[in-house]
Amino acid sequence: MSKYIFEISWEIANKVGGIYTVLATKAKYVKEFYGKNYFVIGPYLGAKSQSDFRILSVPREFENVINNLQKQGLIVYYGEWLVEGSPFGFLIDFQRFLHEINSIKYDLWQNFGIDSLRTGKDYDEPVAWSKAVSLFIKELINHEEFQNSIFHFHEWLAGTALLLVNDIKQRKIFTTHATVLGRTLASAGINFWDEISALDPLKLAYDFGVEAKHLVEKNSAKFADTLTTISSISALEVECFLKRKVDFVLPNGIDLSKFPTFEE
C-alpha cells in the first residue's frame, strides 16, 4: 500500500458544486483508513477559503517542500478542512499563474492538442491552479518520504495538473463524476442515450463551446494510471465520449442530481 494519498479537487474548501459534498462526506472514511497519511489539495481563495479551512503550522515533514516552493514564489497553506473527519491538507495560491495563462494554454495545445481559444475565467482559474498543483507535486516527490504516494485527481478542473505531471512514476487516479459533454447535453435538454455510441464527441464539444474542458478531460482519462467513475451509466458516458473504459466504478453514495455542478 502506498504510504501517502493526496486527493486533489477544485472543490476542496471551495463550495461551488456537488463534488464538494462528495469529498466532504467521504473524507472521514478515507482518513479512518489512511490516518495521518491522507491529505487533500485545493485552491486558496482568500477569505472564502479561510471560512472553511483552518491554517496551521506546517508539519516538519513538509517544511522543506513548502519552503522550497516559497523560494520559487509559490505560496502553499497547510491546515485542516473544516468538514467531518477534519482532513489535513494544502490550499495553493495560483494567482501568479493567471498572468501566465496564455503560456500554459500554449503548452497544453502543443503537448496535448487542447484548443482553449474560446475559454474564459471558469476555465482559466482551474488551469492556473492546476499548474501550481503540478509544481507542488513535483517538489513533493523530490523528497524520498513522498515518493511512494498516490495522487487522485477529480474532474477536468484538476485534470490539467494530472497532464502536467503525466511523466511521474507515482500512481495517478482520475475520477470523472459525470463527463463534461454528458452534463452539457443533459443541461440543453438533449436525450443522447439512444444514439450515444454513434455521436461525434469532439464535434459536439465544439458545437456547445466546451471543447477545451472536454479535451482536458479526455486527455486526463488517457494518461491516468487508473480511471474511475461513479455509476454504470457514467461508465458508458466515459467509454463513448472519452474513448477509454473505466477501471473501476466507485459509487459516491449520494444523488448528485440534487446538487449543482461547477459550470451550473
Side-chain angles (χ1 to χ4, degrees):
M1 184 175 71
S2 293
K3 184 171 183 181
Y4 293 97
I5 183 165
F6 295 87
E7 192 144 33
I8 303 153
S9 172
W10 179 252
E11 297 195 34
I12 296 293
N14 180 26
K15 195 170 186 177
V16 292
I19 309 306
Y20 177 99
T21 303
V22 173
L23 298 178
T25 52
K26 83 167 192 171
K28 171 185 175 182
Y29 303 101
V30 182
K31 189 175 177 182
E32 284 176 1
F33 186 81
Y34 268 93
K36 64 180 182 179
N37 295 332
Y38 170 60
F39 296 94
V40 295
I41 301 175
Y44 179 73
L45 299 167
K48 181 179 180 182
S49 296
Q50 292 170 21
S51 67
D52 205 15
F53 190 86
R54 180 183 296 117
I55 295 174
L56 302 171
S57 299
V58 178
R60 186 177 61 184
E61 64 266 34
F62 291 104
E63 282 181 348
N64 287 338
V65 173
I66 291 179
N67 287 341
N68 288 346
L69 290 169
Q70 190 167 0
K71 291 174 184 175
Q72 300 171 40
L74 185 62
I75 307 302
V76 179
Y77 298 89
Y78 174 82
E80 179 182 28
W81 188 16
L82 302 178
V83 296
E84 189 175 5
S86 302
F88 295 108
F90 306 87
L91 299 186
I92 303 179
D93 190 333
F94 59 92
Q95 294 302 313
R96 61 168 276 207
F97 294 105
L98 287 173
H99 302 294
E100 304 172 20
I101 194 66
N102 288 334
S103 176
I104 299 169
K105 289 179 176 179
Y106 178 75
D107 289 343
L108 292 172
W109 166 252
Q110 286 285 92
N111 295 319
F112 303 101
I114 295 169
D115 179 359
S116 56
L117 287 176
R118 297 196 294 173
T119 54
K121 181 180 178 182
D122 63 326
Y123 178 84
D124 291 356
E125 288 192 343
V127 166
W129 166 71
S130 288
K131 173 66 175 181
V133 171
S134 73
L135 296 178
F136 176 80
I137 291 172
K138 288 183 175 181
E139 177 60 38
L140 196 69
I141 62 175
N142 279 337
H143 300 262
E144 185 176 356
E145 172 77 2
F146 301 107
Q147 288 183 1
N148 190 24
S149 296
I150 291 173
F151 298 96
H152 187 176
F153 304 83
H154 287 268
E155 297 284 272
W156 74 266
L157 300 114
T160 298
L162 186 155
L163 298 180
L164 294 175
V165 298
N166 78 88
D167 57 341
I168 68 173
K169 66 180 182 180
Q170 286 74 16
R171 180 158 292 274
K172 301 172 292 296
I173 302 170
F174 182 65
T175 296
T176 176
H177 297 258
T179 65
V180 168
L181 197 51
R183 282 189 176 123
T184 300
L185 295 175
S187 297
I190 297 173
N191 182 2
F192 56 88
W193 287 106
D194 292 341
E195 53 183 19
I196 186 170
S197 60
L199 297 176
D200 182 340
L202 187 58
K203 181 180 183 302
L204 284 169
Y206 272 96
D207 288 346
F208 284 89
V210 294
E211 63 273 10
K213 296 173 185 177
H214 168 72
L215 287 167
V216 168
E217 184 179 56
K218 183 178 180 181
N219 278 278
S220 299
K222 176 181 178 180
F223 286 100
D225 299 303
T226 303
L227 176 63
T228 81
T229 191
I230 55 123
S231 71
S232 57
I233 296 295
S234 57
L236 177 59
E237 253 186 69
V238 169
E239 185 175 353
C240 292
F241 291 158
L242 306 184
K243 306 304 181 184
R244 175 179 170 180
K245 288 187 177 181
V246 301
D247 298 297
F248 299 99
V249 173
L250 305 173
N252 58 34
I254 66 169
D255 182 0
L256 263 184
S257 67
K258 297 179 180 178
F259 301 93
T261 67
F262 172 71
E263 287 82 8
E264 290 166 341

